């Protein structure tokens, strides 16, 4: 019985792990595509490998470093424009 329970728990952990990592990868893809539509590219965008090593993994999205120009593009994309404020 303990062996069966251990196997079921291990399967649940595997499903949770796969789901969390898969969801994180999807989020990275969505963000990369949204940034591209705004003309922004973050070369270091990806999953933080350290957070993938946890049991269970708790993936974080690593945005990475960017140039000053890219930082300004990000700020402009996030902040509302003055013209749209009425």
């Amino acid at each position: 019985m303990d062996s069966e329970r251990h196997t079921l728990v291990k399967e649940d952990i595997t499903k949770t792990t796969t789901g969390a990592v898969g969801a994180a990868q999807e989020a990275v893809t969505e963000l990369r595509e949204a940034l591209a539509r705004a003309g922004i590219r973050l070369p270091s965008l990806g999953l933080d490998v350290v957070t993938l090593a946890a049991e269970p993994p708790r993936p974080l999205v690593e945005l990475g470093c960017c140039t000053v120009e890219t930082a300004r593009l990000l700020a402009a994309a996030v902040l509302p424009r003055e013209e749209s404020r009425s």
Side-chain angles (χ1 to χ4, degrees):
M1 181 81 175
D2 284 336
S3 177
E4 287 177 34
R5 198 157 106 199
H6 176 73
T7 301
L8 290 174
V9 168
K10 190 173 180 179
E11 287 173 3
D12 285 345
I13 290 171
T14 302
K15 287 177 187 174
T16 301
T17 299
T18 303
V21 173
Q25 288 172 329
E26 287 176 15
V28 168
T29 299
E30 291 170 12
L31 179 56
R32 183 175 284 121
E33 290 171 357
L35 289 170
R37 285 193 302 272
I40 301 167
R41 183 175 172 272
L42 294 177
S44 303
L45 179 62
L47 296 181
D48 176 46
V49 294
V50 174
T51 60
L52 296 176
E55 275 300 323
R58 303 203 188 282
L60 293 176
V61 175
E62 178 70 44
L63 300 177
C65 297
C66 67
T67 65
V68 171
E69 179 185 358
T70 300
R72 288 190 171 133
L73 288 170
L74 282 168
V78 173
L79 294 174
R81 296 178 181 227
E82 291 296 322
E83 300 86 34
S84 65
R85 294 182 187 176
S86 301

